[in-house]
Amino acid sequence: PEAFFACGVLLGQVLLHAELIPNVFPWPLYDLLLRDLGSPKSSSTFTIQHLAEVSPAEATSIGKVLEYEGDDITQVFGDVGWERVPNLVGKTLTQETKAHFVDAYIQWSFGEKIEDRYRHLSDGFKAVIGSSFMVQKMLDAKQLAHIVCGSDAPVDISAIRRYAVAQHWHGCDDEYIDAFWSVLANLPEAAKVQFVRFVTGSDRMPLQGWEELRVKVQKNGVGDERLPVAYTCFSLILLPKYSSVDILRARLLSSIKDSQGFGLQ
């Protein structure tokens, strides 16, 4: 329970401090959290679309139940675990009851099935965010997910550079800094995403755009021995001044390809 509560607190703190996390949670989780906050923007009931975001295989399976029109539906789908749902105990799956069975299964999946773990996560989230009018009244689940995780828009290096800060470099280093940004701009999209993850811990675009990453590029000595190092909490990259652009590119690619972000990929 403590671990789930702590996870909820962490999620609330991410929202409170406008940080980003990798997109590891399906958006129905945010719908559940909003429902617990009493938000009018939360879903009044859960649907097969919610289930598909969490478990595509389960959603496909029970979708087949709805699509099946044979009179032998009891024999074909009657023994697939319906008894796990308390509301269905003692009931028989038929063409007339199949919609009720599917709906009961979905509501159970987002209720009793996960209650013992989810409740603690929700309590942790409410402990941090429970008094936020904006979250309670103004956001739906997908908007909340966007704020917490950002967007998967293509990486715009020129936008990142616009608000980036160069630290401890001198006028004679301007050409080298230009080369650094040029190398990044010419990387394939997958490598640009890796760079963003390397520097920030997340590969998502902030709500206000790529400029909001506010990357800091700090000079870290001169020489070809060291690799670039990043401190994701500060969006800070420690960049040595290498002897050539080719070495700069090679060292940068070596660092970003080994990055794991928050380890939640």
Side-chain angles (χ1 to χ4, degrees):
E2 293 83 5
F4 286 102
F5 183 86
C7 186
V9 169
L10 178 61
L11 197 58
Q13 291 289 349
V14 166
L15 184 61
L16 189 66
H17 295 287
E19 299 293 341
L20 291 178
I21 63 171
N23 188 28
V24 295
F25 298 120
W27 65 260
L29 172 67
Y30 300 101
D31 214 352
L32 282 165
L33 292 171
L34 288 175
R35 182 194 63 179
D36 288 353
L37 290 174
S39 170
K41 298 279 191 175
S42 64
S43 299
S44 58
T45 188
F46 295 101
T47 67
I48 197 169
Q49 285 75 31
H50 286 84
L51 186 61
E53 289 291 327
V54 177
S55 177
E58 279 187 284
T60 298
S61 296
I62 66 170
K64 291 178 180 178
V65 176
L66 292 176
E67 295 169 358
Y68 194 76
E69 298 181 354
D71 293 335
D72 59 345
I73 189 172
T74 304
Q75 290 72 39
V76 177
F77 294 106
D79 188 22
V80 294
W82 302 113
E83 70 280 356
R84 294 177 296 169
V85 183
N87 288 347
L88 298 179
V89 173
K91 297 181 179 179
T92 302
L93 176 67
T94 66
Q95 285 294 340
E96 290 71 28
T97 63
K98 67 181 183 182
H100 169 65
F101 265 64
V102 168
D103 181 67
Y105 183 88
I106 293 171
Q107 305 316 314
W108 169 76
S109 296
F110 288 97
E112 294 172 85
K113 181 181 180 180
I114 61 172
E115 178 69 20
D116 60 335
R117 292 154 291 172
Y118 167 73
R119 178 53 46 204
H120 301 290
L121 187 147
S122 178
D123 288 344
F125 186 75
K126 286 191 290 185
V128 178
I129 298 296
S131 61
S132 170
F133 178 85
M134 182 188 76
V135 177
Q136 286 182 336
K137 304 297 183 183
M138 300 177 65
L139 300 176
D140 63 26
K142 292 184 179 181
Q143 289 170 330
L144 181 56
H146 189 177
I147 292 174
V148 172
C149 302
S151 166
D152 59 357
V155 178
D156 186 343
I157 295 297
S158 63
I160 295 175
R161 182 179 185 178
R162 197 169 298 131
Y163 284 179
V165 177
Q167 298 179 336
H168 308 318
W169 300 90
H170 304 290
C172 59
D173 298 320
D174 287 350
E175 186 175 341
Y176 184 78
I177 292 297
D178 288 341
F180 166 72
W181 290 110
S182 178
V183 166
L184 290 175
N186 287 288
L187 292 177
E189 181 63 22
K192 292 177 183 177
V193 170
Q194 287 177 316
F195 168 75
V196 173
R197 187 185 301 133
F198 169 64
V199 177
T200 70
S202 173
D203 56 12
R204 312 279 286 184
M205 183 182 75
L207 186 64
Q208 300 299 323
W210 288 113
E211 295 92 338
E212 289 304 307
L213 291 182
R214 298 183 183 274
V215 171
K216 293 174 281 293
V217 183
Q218 183 173 308
K219 188 174 184 178
N220 190 29
V222 177
D224 296 338
E225 296 79 16
R226 288 174 291 181
L227 291 172
V229 176
Y231 291 89
T232 58
C233 292
F234 307 103
S235 296
L236 170 67
I237 179 171
L238 303 182
L239 181 68
K241 185 174 182 180
Y242 298 113
S243 59
S244 71
V245 174
D246 288 340
I247 294 176
L248 167 63
R249 182 184 296 104
R251 297 290 189 270
L252 188 59
L253 285 172
S254 180
S255 288
I256 66 178
K257 286 182 178 179
D258 290 336
S259 68
Q260 296 297 319
F262 288 118
L264 297 173
Q265 304 305 318

